[in-house]
Amino acid sequence: MIEERITSRKNPLLVQVRKLLSSRSERLGQGLFVCDGTKLLAEAAQYAPKTLHTVILADGVETCPLPASVRVVRVPGDVMESISPMRSPQGAVFLCELPQAAPFYAKPGMLILDGVQDPGNVGTILRTADAMDIPVVLTEGSADPYSWKAARATMGAIFRRPPSIANWQSVVNACKAAQIPLAAAALTETAKDIRDSHLANCAVIIGSEGQGIRKELLEVCDETLIIPMNAQCESLNAAVAAAIVLWEMRRNK
């Protein structure tokens, strides 16, 4: 494998990386996203080698075997620091192709994230869902799962089980057409204890950290669920709540 060398921080490739890191519209427009770290690179090479596009390595950094088609670039350490989003770069930044947009199909035992905005939470939920073998769909307003923060938090799950992305109305329509009950994790007067519902047959919705589930979506749900907890606690972090829901979904399978 022939390696290129870049020493200028103004090189077009490095300019491209910075744009992809900072802008979702750039990622969508170019069909590429950026990840950081040698471990994540190994996950991409193992589970999604065909998506690997370009790998940038700092001098002295060794990595896993890469497909012959991948462009490999070497840069000095200070140049790596100028493009890595991490405070302490591992010495590997790489570009991957975004998955092709595909029609949304509803499935029983599916988790829906409605407007979950924190990329760390989204990534953590995708990682947990991968461990529980449960598909995830993100509605509008949710953080981009292909931002570097979200992708890093998935710890490789983004390559093993990419999430679906769809607007909330199409998700509702698909679930209704497939006769899949919609269950929302929300505090209402009629909410059931999560342990008393058979979630494996449902599509379960987790709402945004601040606003919860949007009103229009909540109104069409078949039931609402609560996670029993100490009365002094008002709520849980979205990723923690999702982990509990995912465990119950897995347990009910």
Side-chain angles (χ1 to χ4, degrees):
M1 182 179 297
I2 299 175
E3 295 183 357
E4 302 175 40
R5 183 163 182 80
I6 290 175
T7 58
S8 172
R9 300 185 184 193
K10 296 181 180 180
N11 181 276
L13 172 62
L14 307 189
V15 172
Q16 178 189 26
V17 169
R18 295 187 189 99
K19 288 181 178 180
L20 291 170
L21 283 168
S22 63
S23 171
R24 186 174 194 171
S25 62
E26 286 285 344
R27 292 191 286 273
L28 291 173
Q30 297 189 39
L32 296 169
F33 67 103
V34 180
C35 293
D36 184 286
T38 52
K39 186 178 187 305
L40 203 56
L41 176 57
E43 294 287 322
Q46 179 176 356
Y47 295 105
K50 292 183 179 180
T51 70
L52 274 173
H53 182 279
T54 302
V55 174
I56 305 170
L57 300 171
D59 289 338
V61 173
E62 299 300 325
T63 186
C64 59
L66 299 172
S69 59
V70 175
R71 179 185 180 189
V72 180
V73 177
R74 283 283 177 184
V75 299
D78 64 311
V79 174
M80 175 59 67
E81 290 176 0
S82 75
I83 60 169
S84 173
M86 302 299 294
R87 289 184 179 181
S88 300
Q90 294 182 11
V93 169
F94 59 100
L95 280 61
C96 291
E97 296 177 0
L98 287 172
Q100 294 293 319
F104 170 72
Y105 296 102
K107 301 176 182 177
M110 175 180 64
L111 186 72
I112 301 167
L113 302 186
D114 182 48
V116 178
Q117 299 173 341
D118 184 88
N121 281 341
V122 168
T124 300
I125 292 169
L126 293 179
R127 179 184 180 184
T128 309
D130 179 48
M132 298 292 113
D133 195 27
I134 291 173
V136 178
V137 57
L138 280 68
T139 67
E140 59 268 47
S142 295
D144 182 5
Y146 297 100
S147 69
W148 73 268
K149 286 184 179 179
R152 185 175 180 82
T154 71
M155 294 296 288
I158 196 69
F159 303 114
R160 291 187 292 272
R161 186 186 286 272
S164 299
I165 299 175
N167 65 68
W168 72 267
Q169 187 64 68
S170 66
V171 171
V172 170
N173 293 343
C175 288
K176 296 297 183 182
Q179 298 184 327
I180 299 171
L182 283 164
L187 182 60
T188 66
E189 292 182 359
T190 58
K192 294 170 55 178
D193 187 315
I194 191 174
R195 296 169 295 182
D196 297 332
S197 185
H198 193 77
L199 301 185
N201 296 327
C202 299
V204 184
I205 309 165
I206 298 288
S208 73
E209 296 86 352
Q211 304 300 319
I213 298 166
R214 73 187 72 215
K215 180 182 177 182
E216 299 91 341
L217 188 48
L218 192 58
E219 287 176 347
V220 297
C221 285
D222 298 284
E223 64 178 342
T224 54
L225 308 167
I226 57 170
I227 298 170
M229 65 181 77
N230 188 321
Q232 296 175 336
C233 298
E234 292 184 2
S235 62
L236 293 170
N237 169 276
V240 174
I244 296 171
V245 169
L246 288 164
W247 172 255
E248 284 295 319
M249 296 174 78
R250 176 69 177 180
R251 188 175 68 85
N252 285 184
K253 278 189 174 182

